[in-house]
């Protein structure tokens, strides 16, 4: 790659033997990141590169009458302007599961901000100005924005002529996917209930709001192919969608992962990938595209907003009798991950509780709202918000303590889910609640000092809106369950290539996977696994690219489990080959070569009793062992489309939260004082990273509880707040101290007994904050985020 | 237009700068210093924080021309800057004569993680690594510049002081707890250690 600078680099990290799994080793990319050297996708640079820009629709639903690009093309510095007509092949759509998303709009736009045209120019501002000169004439169509308008008798169809594999079983073409789950007899069980509570809950549209904007660099290659450097969550999934549109075989689209500035689900769908490649192949020059923050809000899918209707019953001694629910998710204009989100929302809609009789339905709608898809928690978040509110209502109605009520109904190992699947690993729900409740509470009236009130510790902070008058404290609890990995029969495998050789007289290992490091610390863990399995100190992490097999997605809390599992598996095979070589070379010198369990430790082949048999350097000499192997977790099966029955999930992850809030009831301002979390992680491969993940996930749940929402105009389906000025994410002043209690109950089915951990803390954080605000104010609060007007009745 | 200013102790100039370009754009795209980040380009996130004549600013909101003749310190110069400060007792201008990097060299630079013990880090950079305050790392450069400036004027900040000083820097990964830990750690280590060696 001559001429490219600042591309991803190998990360070599030395470490002592005790820097294996279980140690809080430091990130191998940490030094690069703190010195500003780390090459994020927006930092890439190539001599002679052009800047790409996307023109996006200004309306939500319209026929495109005409597009005139002549003025844009005439502008000096502009190299190319592309529209739908310039797409090179018959493949003009892409999609994660359903190929319904146009690369560039054709004849019609279905949501505000849909890509219509592309420009490449020699300066980003030139490209932006040229894009502004493209004349698009729209004939606006009526918009579908909610369930009533989507399923009305004469509703306009968001997609006519659906041919996808869900089209046959949905009751209406504006429903992407529907999953009912029926188990037992909810109506009969309801007659046994002493109390019944029901509620309608509304979950707002959250955005991933990762800090690194969508960006990448496409470099045309001499063989007619293209080299693409990009930030994504799954290289091979991108590749599968990009290559057919370009009309290239997959081996001519060479992808390399650049530095990823956070993802949280928002980089599962394509953004600039195909656009960058199209412009590069058209102009013959490298093209860099970097979205600004405004465009980023249109450049990726959001979390599904949801309406949820729930009914629960319980006996007077506090046992749940039944649950009925209906969950309506707004998928927006394109399918993205909606079908899988429906599967998660329905199968986890009961939460971490034992309920035998259920009647569940979840649907995702096609509307003209912005497309919604993957975001941390993925369907389980919306459900958790609703069922946890229901638990508090039931406890209140029964006069029971909300934590005790939950513990009484908590699932355990052996409890079946509504899908009939039995949870066959530890499910310490009651224990997590016990632990989080046992943590010491933060002191009251923390704002009081000898010199009067320190307003920084009060709701409103330096706005100086209260000195403690009208401030009420509230405490709330919540617990959730999240599935780990891709469910419903998906072939959810990963691949790892591991090379072991002797360099400078010591054995070293190189780990090469296509895993997207998005900040979660996978690169740290891979080095730890290699040290543990191969007994080496120095491990090099090869940049992630498509020259190695797929690692699957960095999502669904799955990456440490699945690609970690793949690295472990390949390392075990490499180790076995090293030992076999040792047996051939030195077996005659010591009987233990043939009879004992052998390991590699500290660069030596040793027996499990610790006896040293040989130096690995002497075993390997000039040879390198180099293997690339796929690895799979236990297979799953789809949910039955009528009954929802089926062993659909791989693993579960549990977290519980206690929130302590202080509310200024006069102004409706909320200060979250503390958000304590207890989570079972199975086995903490890197305790420091585990706690960091839990705190980060907790904070995203806090955000959607009190501030985060994409506001879509219900009349026009246009996004009103696409900026960090108006879409608020928690700052360091909004975020409380987050004590974390990590439980490690091994799941015997998983590598090292670990559990995926990334998403669970995002589930229970939100309902815990809501419960605490309800506890402080006595208000019902059935929607999130909670705004001051909801607390002051204004 | 031509813009000339001092970056990390070295006089630099950029030609053909369009009048609407931000200091951030000139640093990232014309001077080969991409450490300052572009998360919002509207002054909301702090990821582009640099020091302009010692004052932390969002470089996305500074027109390139405004930097003419002034002193800029970016995350790339933080270790040098901290070292100079330690040697000269609080030089806050970056004009202490550190070598800096030429534009050409910066543009051709391939990031290579040096072997352990070879990368010079400021105490606050080292503390961010040690405390686990870096996840995706996109907010890290801006936070480091802001935290370094806080510790320069307040060697023993309270938690409320730290929160106030960093309230203009958004982070989406960490939940801020480890960032607080890192600043506390850097303060606790004080000036006893002027440089780290990387992870």
């Amino acid at each position: 790659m001559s001429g490219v600078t600042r591309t991803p680099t190998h990360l070599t990290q030395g470490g002592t033997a005790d820097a294996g799994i279980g140690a809080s080793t430091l990130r191998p990319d940490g030094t690069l990141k703190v010195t500003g050297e780390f090459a994020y996708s927006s930092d890439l640079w190539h001599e002679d590169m052009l800047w790409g820009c996307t023109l996006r629709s200004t309306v939500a639903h319209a026929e495109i009458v005409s597009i005139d690009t002549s003025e844009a093309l005439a502008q000096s510095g502009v190299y190319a302007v592309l529209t739908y007509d310039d797409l090179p092949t018959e493949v003009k759509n892409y999609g994660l599961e359903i190929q319904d998303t146009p690369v560039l709009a054709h004849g019609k736009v279905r949501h505000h901000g849909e890509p219509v045209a592309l420009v490449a120019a020699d300066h980003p501002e030139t490209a932006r100005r040229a894009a502004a000169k493209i004349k698009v004439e729209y004939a606006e169509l009526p918009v579908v924005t909610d369930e009533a308008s989507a399923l009305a008798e004469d509703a306009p169809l968001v997609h006519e002529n659906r041919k996808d594999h869900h089209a046959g079983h949905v009751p209406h073409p504006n429903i992407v996917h529907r999953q009912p789950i029926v188990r037992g007899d909810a109506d009969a069980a309801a007659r046994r209930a002493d109390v019944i509570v029901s509620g309608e809950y509304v979950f707002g549209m959250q955005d991933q709001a990762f800090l690194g904007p969508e960006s990448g660099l496409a470099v045309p290659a001499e063989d007619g192919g293209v080299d693409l450097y990009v930030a994504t969550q799954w290289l091979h999934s991108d590749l599968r969608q990009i290559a057919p549109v370009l009309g290239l075989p997959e081996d001519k689209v060479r992808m390399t992962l650049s530095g990823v500035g956070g993802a949280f689900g928002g980089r599962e769908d394509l953004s600039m990938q195909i656009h960058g490649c199209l412009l590069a192949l058209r102009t013959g020059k490298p093209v860099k595209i970097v979205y600004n923050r405004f465009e980023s809000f249109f450049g990726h899918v959001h979390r599904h907003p949801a309406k949820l209707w729930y009914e629960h019953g319980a006996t007077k001694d506090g046992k749940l009798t039944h649950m009925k629910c209906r969950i309506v998710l707004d998928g927006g204009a394109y399918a993205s991950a909606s079908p899988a989100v429906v599967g998660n929302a329905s199968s986890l809609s009961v939460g971490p509780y034992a309920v035998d009789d259920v009647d569940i339905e979840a649907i995702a709608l096609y509307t003209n709202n912005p497309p919604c898809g993957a975001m941390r928690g993925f369907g389980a978040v919306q459900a958790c918000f609703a069922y946890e509110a229901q638990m508090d209502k039931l406890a209140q109605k029964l006069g029971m303590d909300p934590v005790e009520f939950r513990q009484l109904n908590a699932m355990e190992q052996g409890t079946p889910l509504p899908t009939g699947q039995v949870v066959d690993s530890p499910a310490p729900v009651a224990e997590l609640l016990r632990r989080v409740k046992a943590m010491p509470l933060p002191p009251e009236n923390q704002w009081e000092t000898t010199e009067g009130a320190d307003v920084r510790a009060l709701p409103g902070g330096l706005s100086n809106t209260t000195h403690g008058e009208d401030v009420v404290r509230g405490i709330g609890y919540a617990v959730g369950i999240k599935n780990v990995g891709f469910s419903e029969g998906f072939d959810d495998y990963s691949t790892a290539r591991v090379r072991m050789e002797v360099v400078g007289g010591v054995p070293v290992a190189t780990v090469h996977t296509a895993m997207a490091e998005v900040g979660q610390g996978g690169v740290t863990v891979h080095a730890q696994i290699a040290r543990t399995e191969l007994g080496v100190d120095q491990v090099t992490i090869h940049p992630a690219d498509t020259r190695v097999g797929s690692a699957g997605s960095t999502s669904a809390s799955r990456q440490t489990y699945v690609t970690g599992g793949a690295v472990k598996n390949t390392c075990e095979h490499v180790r076995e080959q090293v030992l076999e070589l040792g047996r051939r070379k030195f077996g005659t010198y010591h009987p233990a070569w043939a009879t004992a369990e052998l390991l590699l430790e500290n660069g030596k082949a040793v027996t499990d009793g610790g006896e040293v048999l040989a130096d690995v350097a002497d075993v390997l000499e000039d040879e390198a062992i180099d293997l690339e192997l796929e690895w799979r977790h236990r297979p799953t099966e789809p949910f039955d489309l009528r009954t929802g029955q089926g062993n659909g999930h791989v693993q579960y992850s549990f977290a519980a939260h206690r929130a302590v809030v202080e509310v200024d009831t006069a102004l409706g301002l909320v200060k979250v004082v503390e958000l304590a979390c207890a989570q079972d992680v199975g086995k903490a491969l890197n305790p420091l990273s585990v706690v960091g993940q839990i705190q980060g996930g907790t904070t995203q749940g806090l955000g959607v509880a009190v501030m985060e929402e994409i506001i879509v105009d219900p009349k026009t389906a246009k996004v009103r707040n696409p900026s960090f000025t108006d879409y608020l994410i928690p700052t360091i002043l909004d975020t409380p101290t987050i004590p974390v209690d990590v439980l490690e109950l091994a799941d015997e089915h998983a590598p090292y007994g670990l559990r995926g951990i990334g998403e669970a803390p995002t589930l229970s954080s939100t309902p815990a904050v809501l419960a605490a605000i309800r506890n402080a104010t006595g208000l019902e609060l059935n929607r999130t985020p909670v705004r001051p007007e909801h607390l002051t009745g204004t | 237009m031509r813009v000339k200013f001092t970056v990390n102790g070295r006089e630099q100039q950029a030609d053909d700068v369009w009048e609407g370009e931000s200091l951030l754009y000139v640093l990232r795209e014309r001077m080969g210093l991409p450490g300052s980040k572009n998360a919002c380009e509207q002054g909301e996130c702090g990821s582009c924080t640099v020091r302009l004549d010692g004052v932390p600013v969002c470089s996305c909101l500074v027109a390139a021309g405004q930097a003419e003749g002034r002193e800029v310190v970016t995350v790339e110069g933080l270790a040098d800057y901290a070292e100079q400060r330690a040697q000269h007792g609080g030089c806050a201008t970056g004009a202490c004569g550190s070598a800096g990097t030429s534009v050409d060299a910066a543009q051709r630079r391939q990031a290579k993680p040096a072997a352990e013990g070879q990368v010079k880090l400021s105490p606050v950079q080292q503390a961010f690594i040690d405390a686990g305050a870096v996840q995706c790392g996109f907010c890290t450069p801006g936070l480091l510049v802001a935290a370094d400036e806080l510790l320069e004027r307040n060697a023993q900040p309270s938690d409320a002081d730290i929160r106030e000083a960093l309230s203009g820097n958004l982070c989406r990964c960490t939940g801020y707890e480890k960032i607080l830990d890192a600043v506390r750690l850097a303060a606790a280590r004080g000036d006893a250690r002027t440089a780290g060696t990387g992870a």
Side-chain angles (χ1 to χ4, degrees):
Chain A
M1 287 305 305
S2 62
V4 176
T5 67
R6 294 200 297 267
T7 50
T9 164
H10 287 71
L11 300 168
T12 298
Q13 193 185 31
T16 52
D18 60 7
I21 60 154
S24 287
T25 53
L26 301 175
R27 302 184 64 98
D29 55 9
T31 304
L32 288 173
K33 285 179 173 178
V34 300
T35 53
E37 296 264 354
F38 189 75
Y40 291 91
S41 55
S42 52
D43 301 335
L44 305 169
W45 183 85
H46 197 295
E47 276 176 309
D48 206 24
M49 77 182 187
L50 302 175
W51 291 79
C53 175
T54 323
L55 178 73
R56 293 175 178 270
S57 71
T58 52
V59 294
H61 197 203
E63 299 281 355
I64 296 177
V65 180
S66 65
I67 303 179
D68 178 359
T69 60
S70 54
E71 254 187 83
L73 271 166
Q75 188 172 310
S76 127
V78 172
Y79 283 70
V81 180
L82 306 181
T83 64
Y84 173 86
D85 294 334
D86 298 292
L87 295 178
T89 70
E90 284 311 297
V91 182
K92 301 182 195 298
N93 285 4
Y94 66 90
L96 285 174
E97 185 185 335
I98 301 173
Q99 284 72 45
D100 63 355
T101 314
V103 175
L104 290 168
H106 176 226
K108 190 182 205 187
V109 294
R110 295 184 180 84
H111 70 89
H112 180 207
E114 184 161 340
V116 175
L118 304 169
V119 177
D122 57 8
H123 188 288
E125 185 63 24
T126 308
R128 275 193 289 272
R129 290 178 183 201
K133 288 184 177 170
I134 299 171
K135 294 196 178 76
V136 185
E137 193 186 333
Y138 296 107
E140 289 202 51
L141 299 165
V143 291
V144 171
T145 56
D146 57 11
E147 187 180 14
S149 60
L151 305 186
E153 198 68 27
D154 54 346
L157 299 186
V158 180
H159 294 272
E160 303 98 348
N161 312 319
R162 280 180 60 185
K163 294 184 181 65
D164 60 86
H165 57 286
H166 295 294
H169 72 79
V170 291
H172 190 289
N174 280 344
I175 295 177
V176 187
H177 176 48
R178 173 176 179 268
Q179 180 65 65
I181 301 179
V182 184
R183 201 158 178 273
D185 185 340
D187 289 321
R191 290 192 282 276
R192 294 201 312 272
D194 296 310
V195 295
I196 289 185
V197 300
S198 58
E200 178 183 331
Y201 302 92
V202 178
F203 199 99
M205 187 186 287
Q206 190 180 13
D207 189 79
Q208 298 85 355
F210 41 69
L211 284 199
E214 290 87 342
S215 45
L217 174 71
V219 185
E222 285 173 10
D223 65 354
V226 64
D227 292 284
L228 178 62
Y229 299 83
V230 71
T232 177
Q233 288 175 242
W234 186 358
L235 288 164
H236 288 79
S237 164
D238 287 8
L239 179 61
R240 216 176 37 240
Q241 297 171 79
I242 296 166
V245 176
L246 301 178
L248 290 170
E250 287 189 1
D251 62 352
K252 283 203 172 175
V253 181
R254 290 163 293 263
M255 294 183 65
T256 305
L257 184 81
S258 339
V260 184
F264 316 118
R267 296 188 210 267
E268 285 193 32
D269 299 76
L270 296 178
S271 59
M272 53 61 66
Q273 284 91 328
I274 298 176
H275 297 163
C277 293
L278 287 169
L279 289 170
L281 291 168
R282 172 61 74 97
T283 61
K285 286 174 175 283
V287 174
K288 174 172 170 174
I289 297 182
V290 182
Y291 291 178
N292 60 19
R293 182 53 51 181
F294 174 88
E295 184 170 10
S296 177
F297 276 100
F298 297 98
H300 58 261
V301 300
H302 314 293
R303 186 193 296 289
H304 290 76
K307 279 205 168 83
L308 311 95
W309 289 266
Y310 262 83
E311 177 190 295
H312 281 87
T315 58
K316 57 181 179 300
D317 56 356
K319 277 299 225 183
L320 287 170
T321 53
H322 73 288
M323 187 278 270
K324 296 180 186 177
C325 74
R326 185 159 184 277
I327 299 172
V328 178
L329 300 149
D330 181 353
Y334 297 108
S336 178
S338 284
V341 173
V342 166
N344 273 10
S346 55
S347 60
L348 301 173
S349 58
V350 169
Y353 302 106
V355 188
D356 290 329
D357 298 280
V358 296
D359 188 348
I360 296 160
E361 182 194 24
I363 61 169
L365 300 168
Y366 272 132
T367 67
N368 296 117
N369 290 329
C372 288
M375 185 178 167
R376 196 174 196 166
F378 205 88
V381 163
Q382 294 90 331
C384 186
F385 168 67
Y387 63 67
E388 286 302 86
Q390 288 278 106
M391 292 301 120
D392 284 342
K393 276 188 191 174
L394 280 165
Q396 191 173 12
K397 206 154 181 174
L398 291 163
M400 291 178 72
D401 175 85
V403 171
E404 282 170 25
F405 177 76
R406 284 175 170 83
Q407 289 171 319
L408 194 63
N409 292 288
M411 69 160 47
E412 297 165 340
Q413 184 162 351
T415 303
L417 291 170
T419 56
Q421 182 170 19
V422 173
V423 175
D424 62 356
S425 57
V429 179
E431 172 64 9
L432 290 170
L433 285 162
R434 188 192 67 74
R435 283 169 172 257
V436 84
K437 192 176 181 178
M439 289 192 200
L441 280 163
E444 306 246 3
N445 303 354
Q446 291 187 88
W447 58 83
E448 286 176 357
T449 72
T450 47
E451 288 101 53
D454 179 355
V455 295
R456 294 184 297 185
L458 279 158
L462 288 168
S463 313
N464 198 18
T465 45
T466 176
H467 287 197
E469 311 85 0
D470 303 314
V471 173
V472 188
R473 173 171 282 205
I475 298 172
Y477 293 88
V479 60
I481 175 173
K482 176 67 182 63
N483 59 317
V484 171
F486 281 30
S487 300
E488 301 182 64
F490 191 87
D491 183 18
D492 187 32
Y493 71 96
S494 182
T495 317
R497 183 177 163 201
V498 176
R499 180 183 172 91
M500 193 171 178
E501 62 200 317
V502 177
V503 176
V506 291
V508 298
T510 303
V511 178
H512 184 187
T513 71
M515 174 204 66
E517 168 61 54
V518 301
Q520 85 277 21
V523 289
T524 322
V525 166
H526 290 183
Q528 289 176 265
I529 291 171
R531 282 192 201 102
T532 292
E533 299 299 334
L534 300 174
V536 295
D537 288 351
Q538 187 182 303
V539 181
T540 296
I541 304 293
H542 190 291
D545 56 33
T546 50
R547 289 177 185 81
V548 64
S550 173
S553 182
T554 302
S555 52
S557 307
R558 70 178 278 287
Q559 202 55 290
T560 297
Y561 184 132
V562 191
T563 303
V567 172
K568 176 175 187 273
N569 175 58
T570 307
C571 284
E572 286 166 351
H573 282 83
V574 167
R575 182 177 66 216
E576 203 35 56
Q577 291 204 3
V578 171
L579 293 170
E580 191 47 41
L581 201 60
R583 284 187 195 104
R584 287 210 301 273
K585 277 186 181 172
F586 305 116
T588 53
Y589 297 107
H590 199 303
W593 279 105
T595 56
E597 279 289 311
L598 302 182
L599 308 164
L600 299 180
E601 278 179 6
N602 299 322
K604 295 176 170 45
V606 299
T607 66
D608 54 359
E611 189 179 0
V612 177
L613 298 183
D615 274 328
V616 173
D618 296 330
V619 173
L620 279 173
E621 291 176 300
D622 296 336
E623 264 186 90
I625 309 286
D626 194 328
L627 294 177
E628 179 179 328
L629 298 170
E630 286 179 3
W631 185 81
R632 284 169 169 77
H633 56 61
R634 293 188 290 169
T636 59
E637 52 191 29
F639 299 130
D640 184 279
L641 283 172
R642 286 176 308 102
T643 64
Q645 300 303 292
N647 294 327
H649 293 312
V650 183
Q651 192 193 44
Y652 314 92
S653 169
F654 302 93
H657 277 91
R658 180 188 67 197
V660 180
V661 302
E662 273 149 10
V663 184
D664 178 342
T665 50
L667 293 176
L669 298 176
V670 176
K671 182 176 181 69
V672 183
V673 178
E674 190 202 57
L675 200 39
C677 180
Q679 183 169 343
D680 176 17
V681 306
K683 163 74 182 170
L685 296 198
N686 186 312
L688 185 71
S689 298
V690 160
V691 172
Q693 278 290 305
I694 293 171
Q695 288 167 336
T698 295
T699 305
Q700 289 182 354
L702 158 78
V704 84
V706 293
M707 61 180 75
E708 293 185 37
E709 185 176 14
I710 297 230
I711 311 279
V712 182
D713 188 312
K715 288 195 187 64
T716 61
K718 287 171 78 165
V719 177
R720 282 181 176 167
N721 59 336
S723 75
F724 278 166
T725 310
D726 298 312
Y727 184 90
L728 300 177
I729 65 174
T731 70
I732 198 167
L733 290 175
D734 303 311
T735 308
T737 174
I738 307 170
V740 175
D741 185 354
V742 175
L743 189 61
E744 295 183 84
L745 301 182
D747 173 1
E748 62 180 27
H749 308 287
Y752 304 116
L754 68 81
R755 278 179 199 278
I757 60 157
E759 292 166 291
T762 313
L763 267 62
S764 42
S765 166
T766 308
V769 172
L770 264 285
I773 300 173
R774 290 187 197 109
N775 178 248
T777 61
L779 297 167
E780 192 164 357
L781 303 177
N782 281 350
R783 102 174 285 287
T784 190
V786 173
R787 305 187 182 288
E789 61 266 30
H790 304 146
L791 300 179
T792 53
T794 45
Chain B
M1 63 182 185
R2 169 175 292 183
V3 183
K4 261 171 119 165
F5 51 89
T6 304
V7 186
N8 298 332
R10 188 188 182 85
E11 179 101 342
Q12 306 244 35
Q13 71 176 45
D15 287 325
D16 307 320
V17 175
W18 169 63
E19 288 71 7
E21 278 176 27
S22 65
L23 172 59
L24 176 66
Y25 183 87
V26 170
L27 289 169
R28 285 175 56 79
E29 304 297 340
R30 296 190 183 277
M31 294 185 171
L33 294 167
S36 310
K37 291 289 173 264
N38 55 319
C40 80
E41 296 174 272
Q42 56 188 177
E44 292 286 355
C45 77
S47 71
C48 65
T49 306
V50 303
R51 294 181 70 172
L52 185 62
D53 288 344
V55 181
V57 295
C58 288
S59 59
C60 69
L61 296 185
V62 176
Q66 284 178 280
E68 179 71 27
R70 295 168 79 180
E71 308 269 359
V72 176
V73 178
T74 71
V75 68
E76 287 96 338
L78 207 56
D80 271 349
Y81 187 75
E83 191 176 39
Q84 299 280 350
R85 181 173 55 210
Q87 286 172 359
H88 302 288
C91 154
T93 65
C96 313
S98 62
T101 311
S102 72
V103 177
D104 193 52
Q107 291 214 321
R108 307 208 163 275
R109 180 168 51 201
Q110 255 297 19
K112 285 192 179 52
E116 275 182 281
Q118 293 185 5
V119 181
K120 201 170 49 175
L121 296 178
S122 68
V124 75
Q125 286 171 316
Q126 188 64 51
F128 264 62
I129 295 175
D130 294 348
V134 181
Q135 287 185 27
C136 94
F138 208 81
C139 67
T140 304
L143 276 161
L144 285 166
V145 173
D148 182 71
E149 191 273 340
L150 163 71
L151 292 169
E152 187 179 288
R153 56 187 164 79
N154 180 354
Q156 295 300 326
S158 67
D159 281 6
D161 295 335
I162 299 171
R163 287 183 191 272
E164 202 175 323
L166 303 184
S167 60
N169 293 80
L170 294 175
C171 165
R172 192 57 161 164
C173 293
T174 65
Y176 300 104
E177 189 86 29
K178 302 271 179 230
I179 291 167
L180 280 161
D181 286 348
V183 179
R184 292 178 195 128
L185 181 64
R189 287 171 177 174
D191 286 337
R193 293 184 38 190
T194 55
T197 54

